[in-house]
Amino acid sequence: MAKKLNVTPLHDRVIIKPAAAEEKTAGGIIIPDTAKEKPQRGEIVAVGAGKKDEPLTVKVGDIVLYGKYAGTELPVEGIDYLIMRESDIVAILGK
Amino acid sequence: MAKKLNVTPLHDRVIIKPAAAEEKTAGGIIIPDTAKEKPQRGEIVAVGAGKKDEPLTVKVGDIVLYGKYAGTELPVEGIDYLIMRESDIVAILGK
Amino acid sequence: MAKKLNVTPLHDRVIIKPAAAEEKTAGGIIIPDTAKEKPQRGEIVAVGAGKKDEPLTVKVGDIVLYGKYAGTELPVEGIDYLIMRESDIVAILGK
Amino acid sequence: MAKKLNVTPLHDRVIIKPAAAEEKTAGGIIIPDTAKEKPQRGEIVAVGAGKKDEPLTVKVGDIVLYGKYAGTELPVEGIDYLIMRESDIVAILGK
Amino acid sequence: MAKKLNVTPLHDRVIIKPAAAEEKTAGGIIIPDTAKEKPQRGEIVAVGAGKKDEPLTVKVGDIVLYGKYAGTELPVEGIDYLIMRESDIVAILGK
Amino acid sequence: MAKKLNVTPLHDRVIIKPAAAEEKTAGGIIIPDTAKEKPQRGEIVAVGAGKKDEPLTVKVGDIVLYGKYAGTELPVEGIDYLIMRESDIVAILGK
Amino acid sequence: MAKKLNVTPLHDRVIIKPAAAEEKTAGGIIIPDTAKEKPQRGEIVAVGAGKKDEPLTVKVGDIVLYGKYAGTELPVEGIDYLIMRESDIVAILGK
């Protein structure tokens, strides 16, 4: 599991640690790094408190798929995390 | 029926296994692979939990029609699934 | 009346069997096939369950007028049906 | 008063029989046929049931003013009626 | 005060008799006819019933300021009235 | 304090007397007249009654900052006041 | 901590004192001044009262990350503060 970040996303935002290229999950899904326009995979490392009356669905530790161009980069100690809204996440793996 | 996927779509999204070209359903509907701009046919293999106060209408196993350009591809073990919002589905076959 | 289709439109969508050109209704309305940008006539052959708190107004068997470019084609057994949202229908004939 | 049409507009739509050019109303309003971009005058001949919680304000027989480019034509027995949403009507004459 | 018009604006619309150029109000405001893009002055001569749950604020007889390009012309007996939505009015004079 | 204007802004609009260039407030804020795209300073001289369920926050006499291009000019007795919506105001000075 | 400003942002706006380039936070996050399109860091020095039913989440003293192009400059005594809506803030550091 990714190290806990010392950052709290605001409202409905989450921070994701993108997966390294060509990894293989327990469930056998491969999403090659060279894929174009296909969902990307990463691990949730921080979540916001949600919007009024709408708590977030994903939680820290979830492996998720998200749009290739979703979010903005957040570089912390050499790692390019992504910060995006939960609505940019399309699916959770392994549930 | 398609194999159950180890992926959970978020909120109002569903995952569809597109039908092979030129199949013929029990009801006799043919949607040729070469049709342009016409609805496509596929089987629901995973559904999200819906949005707040709006559970999804389709369920796993439903054969549905959806817009030709709806969704984004989700390649899993050699099959190009599609992940899209339920609102991109126009009809359910065989009900 | 058109044959019942083995397809269920989702939510606020309906399926329409477009009228043949130059037909004349009991009420005497003629909408020539060559009319440009004028409403088209057809028969409702399937209706969705409506949206939350908003059941549909039209029902199977209704003869309706709809915008010339409304909906997308749904070819079934040689007939080009149209699938569109109820909001694309402008009027019901014969009521 | 215009003949009752055998057509029911859907929801918030109305059907209008446009006035002939250069007519003069009891109230003395003249809206010449050659006016550019000015409101047009016509008689309501059919009204829809309104939208949820919003019944229509105009009724059959009302003489109304509407935008020059509002609505789409609905030819019935040689007369080019107009079908438009009530929101395209700007005023009622003679009230 | 302007003559009462025999026209009822629909919903949130009002009819305004634009002021003649270079007039001077009791309060001393001058809005020259040659002003560019500045608010125009006129008198409310007819008001609609308002929208659902939102009665209008202005009333017949109010002298108001409105955007130079607001509304559409409504010629009645030689006078070019304006018909516009109340939201196009920016202020009431003399209150 | 600016003279009270004989004009009532409608709904959520306010009238502002722009500050002269290069003034210095008690709090020491300087907003030079030549600043580009920076907030401008002025005094509220009239306020509307607010929108339904949303009374205004600013009041007559408040010194406020607003966007350089907000509002439209309202010339009264030689002074170019500005009339704008409260949402165009970004901050109140001196509170 | 930044000096308290004598300015009150309106509604959901906040005022931020941008961090100097190349600083290092207690948590070890470095956001170089030359980064392109990456979140910027700053300290909240003033907050508005929030919108109706939606109090703000951030408070004075919070170190936050915000979009590189968010807000407009507010120069006060030689410092270029930023005034922006809370929704332009993506995360709070150190919580």
Side-chain angles (χ1 to χ4, degrees):
Chain A
M1 181 180 291
K3 199 179 99 175
K4 190 174 173 305
L5 270 192
N6 194 23
V7 182
T8 305
L10 216 61
H11 304 149
D12 59 334
R13 288 187 179 84
V14 301
I15 299 178
I16 291 175
K17 180 170 178 290
E22 300 291 338
E23 283 191 19
K24 200 167 187 312
T25 71
I29 294 184
I30 295 176
I31 304 196
D33 181 56
T34 58
K36 293 291 182 295
E37 306 276 351
K38 307 241 163 96
Q40 305 291 303
R41 192 164 59 84
E43 178 181 354
I44 302 285
V45 295
V47 298
K51 287 193 286 191
K52 196 175 56 145
D53 299 329
E54 287 186 71
L56 294 191
T57 299
V58 299
K59 60 182 191 307
V60 171
D62 280 352
I63 306 297
V64 298
L65 300 176
Y66 52 90
K68 191 176 178 62
Y69 300 111
T72 54
E73 290 194 350
L74 176 66
V76 181
E77 297 174 348
I79 297 176
D80 277 346
Y81 292 92
L82 285 171
I83 188 160
M84 66 182 68
R85 294 177 187 276
E86 192 192 64
S87 58
D88 290 324
I89 296 175
V90 298
I92 305 174
L93 294 191
K95 268 193 176 173
Chain B
M1 181 179 291
K3 200 180 98 175
K4 190 174 173 305
L5 271 192
N6 194 24
V7 182
T8 305
L10 216 61
H11 304 151
D12 59 335
R13 288 187 180 83
V14 301
I15 299 177
I16 291 176
K17 180 170 178 288
E22 300 291 339
E23 281 192 19
K24 199 167 187 311
T25 70
I29 295 183
I30 295 176
I31 304 195
D33 182 56
T34 58
K36 292 293 182 293
E37 307 275 351
K38 306 239 163 98
Q40 305 292 303
R41 192 163 58 84
E43 179 182 353
I44 302 284
V45 294
V47 299
K51 286 193 286 191
K52 195 174 57 143
D53 300 329
E54 286 187 71
L56 293 191
T57 299
V58 298
K59 61 182 190 306
V60 171
D62 280 351
I63 307 298
V64 297
L65 299 176
Y66 51 89
K68 191 174 178 63
Y69 301 110
T72 55
E73 291 194 348
L74 176 66
V76 180
E77 296 174 348
I79 297 176
D80 278 344
Y81 293 93
L82 285 171
I83 188 160
M84 65 183 68
R85 294 178 186 276
E86 192 192 63
S87 58
D88 290 325
I89 296 175
V90 298
I92 305 174
L93 294 191
K95 268 192 177 175
Chain C
M1 180 179 290
K3 200 180 97 175
K4 189 170 173 310
L5 271 192
N6 195 23
V7 182
T8 305
L10 216 60
H11 304 151
D12 59 335
R13 288 186 180 84
V14 302
I15 300 177
I16 291 176
K17 180 170 178 288
E22 300 291 339
E23 282 192 20
K24 198 167 187 311
T25 70
I29 295 184
I30 295 176
I31 304 194
D33 182 56
T34 58
K36 292 293 183 292
E37 307 276 352
K38 305 237 165 101
Q40 305 291 304
R41 192 164 59 85
E43 178 181 354
I44 302 285
V45 293
V47 299
K51 287 194 285 191
K52 196 174 55 143
D53 300 330
E54 287 185 70
L56 293 191
T57 300
V58 299
K59 61 182 191 305
V60 171
D62 281 350
I63 307 298
V64 297
L65 299 176
Y66 52 89
K68 192 174 176 64
Y69 301 110
T72 54
E73 290 194 348
L74 176 66
V76 180
E77 296 175 348
I79 297 176
D80 278 344
Y81 294 92
L82 285 171
I83 188 160
M84 65 183 68
R85 294 178 186 275
E86 192 192 62
S87 58
D88 290 324
I89 295 175
V90 298
I92 305 175
L93 294 191
K95 269 193 176 172
Chain D
M1 180 179 292
K3 200 179 97 176
K4 189 171 174 308
L5 272 192
N6 195 22
V7 182
T8 305
L10 216 61
H11 304 150
D12 59 335
R13 288 186 180 85
V14 302
I15 299 178
I16 290 176
K17 180 169 177 290
E22 299 291 338
E23 282 192 21
K24 198 168 187 312
T25 69
I29 294 183
I30 296 175
I31 305 194
D33 182 56
T34 58
K36 292 293 183 293
E37 306 277 352
K38 305 236 165 102
Q40 306 291 304
R41 192 165 58 86
E43 178 181 354
I44 302 286
V45 294
V47 299
K51 287 193 285 190
K52 196 174 55 144
D53 300 329
E54 288 185 71
L56 293 191
T57 299
V58 300
K59 59 183 191 306
V60 171
D62 281 350
I63 307 298
V64 297
L65 299 176
Y66 53 88
K68 192 174 176 64
Y69 301 111
T72 55
E73 291 194 348
L74 176 66
V76 180
E77 296 175 348
I79 298 175
D80 278 344
Y81 294 92
L82 285 172
I83 189 160
M84 65 182 69
R85 295 177 186 275
E86 192 192 62
S87 58
D88 289 325
I89 296 175
V90 299
I92 304 174
L93 294 190
K95 268 193 175 172
Chain E
M1 180 180 291
K3 200 179 95 175
K4 190 173 173 305
L5 271 192
N6 194 23
V7 183
T8 305
L10 216 62
H11 303 150
D12 58 335
R13 289 186 179 84
V14 302
I15 299 178
I16 291 176
K17 180 170 178 289
E22 301 291 338
E23 282 192 19
K24 199 168 187 312
T25 70
I29 295 184
I30 295 175
I31 305 195
D33 183 57
T34 58
K36 292 293 182 294
E37 306 275 351
K38 305 238 165 100
Q40 305 291 303
R41 191 164 59 84
E43 178 181 354
I44 301 286
V45 294
V47 299
K51 286 193 286 190
K52 196 174 55 144
D53 301 329
E54 286 185 72
L56 293 191
T57 299
V58 299
K59 60 183 191 307
V60 171
D62 281 351
I63 307 298
V64 297
L65 300 176
Y66 52 89
K68 191 174 178 62
Y69 301 111
T72 55
E73 291 194 348
L74 175 66
V76 180
E77 296 174 349
I79 297 177
D80 277 345
Y81 293 92
L82 285 172
I83 188 160
M84 65 182 68
R85 294 177 186 275
E86 192 192 62
S87 58
D88 290 325
I89 296 176
V90 299
I92 304 175
L93 294 191
K95 268 192 176 171
Chain F
M1 181 179 292
K3 202 180 96 175
K4 190 174 174 306
L5 270 193
N6 194 22
V7 183
T8 305
L10 216 63
H11 303 150
D12 59 334
R13 289 186 179 83
V14 302
I15 299 178
I16 290 176
K17 180 170 179 289
E22 300 292 338
E23 282 191 20
K24 199 167 186 311
T25 70
I29 295 184
I30 295 175
I31 305 195
D33 182 57
T34 58
K36 293 291 183 295
E37 307 275 351
K38 305 237 165 101
Q40 305 291 303
R41 191 164 59 86
E43 178 182 355
I44 302 285
V45 293
V47 299
K51 287 192 286 190
K52 196 173 56 144
D53 300 330
E54 287 186 70
L56 294 191
T57 299
V58 299
K59 60 182 191 307
V60 171
D62 281 351
I63 307 298
V64 297
L65 299 176
Y66 52 89
K68 190 174 178 62
Y69 301 110
T72 56
E73 290 194 348
L74 176 66
V76 180
E77 296 174 347
I79 297 177
D80 278 345
Y81 293 92
L82 285 172
I83 188 160
M84 65 182 69
R85 294 176 186 277
E86 192 191 64
S87 58
D88 290 325
I89 296 175
V90 299
I92 304 174
L93 294 192
K95 268 193 177 172
Chain G
M1 181 180 290
K3 200 179 97 175
K4 190 174 174 304
L5 270 192
N6 194 21
V7 183
T8 305
L10 216 62
H11 303 151
D12 59 334
R13 288 186 180 83
V14 302
I15 299 177
I16 291 176
K17 180 169 178 290
E22 300 293 335
E23 283 191 19
K24 198 166 187 311
T25 70
I29 294 184
I30 294 175
I31 305 196
D33 182 57
T34 58
K36 293 291 182 295
E37 307 276 351
K38 305 236 165 103
Q40 305 291 303
R41 191 164 59 85
E43 178 181 355
I44 301 286
V45 294
V47 299
K51 287 193 286 191
K52 196 174 56 144
D53 299 330
E54 287 186 70
L56 294 192
T57 299
V58 299
K59 60 182 192 305
V60 171
D62 281 351
I63 307 298
V64 297
L65 300 176
Y66 52 90
K68 191 175 178 61
Y69 300 110
T72 55
E73 290 194 349
L74 176 67
V76 181
E77 297 175 346
I79 297 176
D80 277 346
Y81 293 92
L82 285 172
I83 189 160
M84 66 182 68
R85 293 176 187 277
E86 191 191 65
S87 58
D88 290 324
I89 296 175
V90 298
I92 304 174
L93 294 192
K95 268 193 177 173

